[in-house]
Amino acid sequence: MGFKVAVVGATGNVGREMLSVLAEREFPADDVIALASSRSIGKRVSFGDDDVLDVQALDSFDFRGIDIVLSSPGAKVSAAFAPRAAKAGAVVIDNTSHWRMDPDVPLVVPEVNPKAIAGFQKRGIIANPNCSTIQMVVALKPLHDLAKLKRVVVATYQSVSGAGREAMDELFRQTRAVYVNDQIKPEHLTKQIAFNVIPHIDVFMEDGSTKEEWKMAVETRKILDPDIAVSATCVRVPVFIGHAEAINCEFARPITVAAARDALRSTRGINVVDHRNDAGYVTPAEAAGEDAVYVSRVRADPTVTNGLAMWVVADNLRKGAALNAVQIAEVLADTYLGGRRGKVEPLRRRAETV
Ligand SMILES: NC(=O)c1ccc[n+]([C@@H]2O[C@H](COP(=O)([O-])OP(=O)(O)OC[C@H]3O[C@@H](n4cnc5c(N)ncnc54)[C@H](OP(=O)(O)O)[C@@H]3O)[C@@H](O)[C@H]2O)c1
């Protein structure tokens, strides 16, 4: 018998990607259930190349018998349903911001702190970090092990898919509006995004930073080391998929560019592309659809003692969300839920071939 998996938010950007990643990686599920709001009853979503799943309503769904829930329905919805699913016996791997800083909920990036997964037993919930945090801590971890990070200054260039389907549609509509000279009306994002950049993601905090910037700091400390200082500026850019980050690090000990590159190269999940020519670095458009965290432009930062600068790019819907969640599910299934439960036939039952 394989695992029973429910995907909550299955009609959204992240949920759809979760279904793709589960199928691609042949997660040992013998039942996959797609859940969304009651607005989506009657809709169907793809699972792998050949299958479709009927979407069911989260509100009335009974989680008894479900082993693992992959969740991305937004923070408020997750706050309400995750304890109900956990109480019914499922382990919820949640992509929203709601549970991340709960001391009884582990916040996990499998390349960085896989052992923290054991903490799921407290509440039956594991949190997936923010997309910008995930790709940053994957790149920082080998460098921290090498020379101990003291401070990180990061500027992000975040794609609109990080704000959901509606933000992607908004970029498309506004771009078209610019070309046909139509009026531009920001609806989902705060200002015009087509041919523009917006230094405002999530709400403003009392100190003038945004919640997205705060999340990058507190989540990095929870995952990697509570002593690391992080200063972030988070910016939405007119890119559909793929987040980029310009990161400056200050270390306690000396670190050479060569040693940093070697450490990055030998880390699972990282692909170093770093040559000083036109093809020698990776951009978001090239990282879309890929699993790796790409590191380019590694160089010394001579403005601080033991300083290093780099450019880090990843697909925010994959490593920044769905892939990270499925990787957590794989460790959970293998290590804590009784292993792979033998070889499981690919799912066919609930779906109709299209
Ligand atoms: N996009 C990213 O890069 C990223 C990365 C990490 C984390 N996240 C987080 O993941 C969550 C979803 O992001 P997204 O980009 O996938 O958003 P999205 O494209 O807007 O999708 C939202 C999903 O949530 C469902 N939903 C909304 N209200 C619901 C309700 N009351 N009950 C059940 N389902 C409900 C929607 O279902 P309907 O279609 O029925 O409305 C849809 O499936 C957010 O919390 C986001 O912060 C996103």
Side-chain angles (χ1 to χ4, degrees):
M1 252 179 61
F3 294 97
K4 290 190 189 307
V5 179
V7 175
V8 176
T11 53
N13 274 344
V14 174
R16 285 174 191 270
E17 202 66 40
M18 282 168 165
L19 289 166
S20 301
V21 176
L22 281 170
E24 271 169 34
R25 293 173 74 93
E26 298 183 349
F27 188 82
D30 64 1
D31 204 356
V32 177
I33 292 151
L35 300 170
S37 77
S38 49
R39 296 180 292 272
S40 292
I41 293 177
K43 284 190 188 164
R44 299 197 298 175
V45 287
S46 298
F47 178 71
D49 289 336
D50 303 321
D51 299 331
V52 290
L53 308 176
D54 290 323
V55 178
Q56 301 180 43
L58 170 68
D59 279 352
S60 51
F61 186 73
D62 181 352
F63 283 93
R64 276 177 298 181
I66 299 291
D67 299 299
I68 297 172
V69 179
L70 299 178
S71 147
S72 63
K76 275 193 195 138
V77 179
S78 185
F81 100 84
R84 173 165 72 86
K87 198 169 170 210
V91 181
V92 180
I93 301 170
D94 185 56
N95 266 269
T96 77
S97 58
H98 184 79
W99 300 101
R100 291 179 191 150
M101 296 314 293
D102 185 318
D104 290 335
V105 172
L107 184 64
V108 178
V109 178
E111 292 88 342
V112 179
N113 62 339
K115 291 193 178 128
I117 290 174
F120 81 89
Q121 271 135 344
K122 288 188 189 152
R123 293 198 73 145
I125 302 171
I126 300 168
N128 214 48
N130 181 275
C131 39
S132 309
T133 309
I134 293 178
Q135 67 184 66
M136 183 167 82
V137 295
V138 168
L140 292 181
K141 164 82 166 122
L143 306 179
H144 183 51
D145 290 346
L146 202 62
K148 195 166 178 18
L149 271 164
K150 283 168 59 182
R151 178 169 183 253
V152 175
V153 179
V154 55
T156 69
Y157 305 74
Q158 297 180 223
S159 65
V160 290
S161 58
R165 285 168 313 192
E166 287 166 355
M168 294 179 84
D169 293 345
E170 190 154 316
L171 172 59
F172 186 85
R173 267 197 316 275
Q174 286 186 4
T175 305
R176 187 186 161 281
V178 168
Y179 281 116
V180 300
N181 214 11
D182 259 0
Q183 204 194 349
I184 304 254
K185 211 168 75 200
E187 283 166 13
H188 195 69
L189 299 167
T190 51
K191 298 215 180 199
Q192 174 178 330
I193 185 64
F195 305 96
N196 200 11
V197 298
I198 307 174
H200 176 187
I201 300 179
D202 211 331
V203 296
F204 279 102
M205 314 274 291
E206 249 176 41
D207 68 356
S209 61
T210 64
K211 197 161 181 201
E212 186 82 351
E213 292 158 356
W214 173 83
K215 283 183 249 176
M216 286 192 81
V218 294
E219 292 178 17
T220 298
R221 288 198 281 272
K222 180 166 175 179
I223 299 163
L224 203 52
D225 187 330
D227 292 333
I228 299 173
V230 178
S231 169
T233 302
C234 293
V235 182
R236 190 71 72 196
V237 298
V239 166
F240 281 108
I241 294 175
H243 289 358
E245 294 173 349
I247 303 177
N248 287 64
C249 306
E250 196 179 335
F251 295 91
R253 298 190 290 272
I255 178 170
T256 65
V257 170
R261 277 210 200 100
D262 282 351
L264 290 161
R265 270 202 192 100
S266 52
T267 301
R268 186 171 61 92
I270 294 181
N271 196 336
V272 177
V273 177
D274 194 12
H275 306 286
R276 286 156 193 184
N277 58 42
D278 294 353
Y281 52 87
V282 174
T283 59
E286 295 159 298
E290 301 288 326
D291 287 351
V293 171
Y294 290 93
V295 182
S296 307
R297 310 268 341 264
V298 182
R299 62 211 190 272
D301 175 357
T303 63
V304 290
T305 308
N306 305 326
L308 203 72
M310 62 185 170
W311 173 252
V312 174
V313 177
D315 182 326
N316 53 294
L317 298 179
R318 289 181 73 88
K319 186 56 195 165
L323 173 63
N324 198 70
V326 173
Q327 288 172 319
I328 294 171
E330 288 170 349
V331 179
L332 180 75
D334 275 348
T335 313
Y336 302 98
L337 302 185
R340 293 205 155 239
R341 301 191 185 176
K343 182 156 171 43
V344 177
E345 289 302 311
L347 178 97
R348 286 280 180 273
R349 212 161 25 83
R350 293 194 143 255
E352 203 176 283
T353 301
V354 283

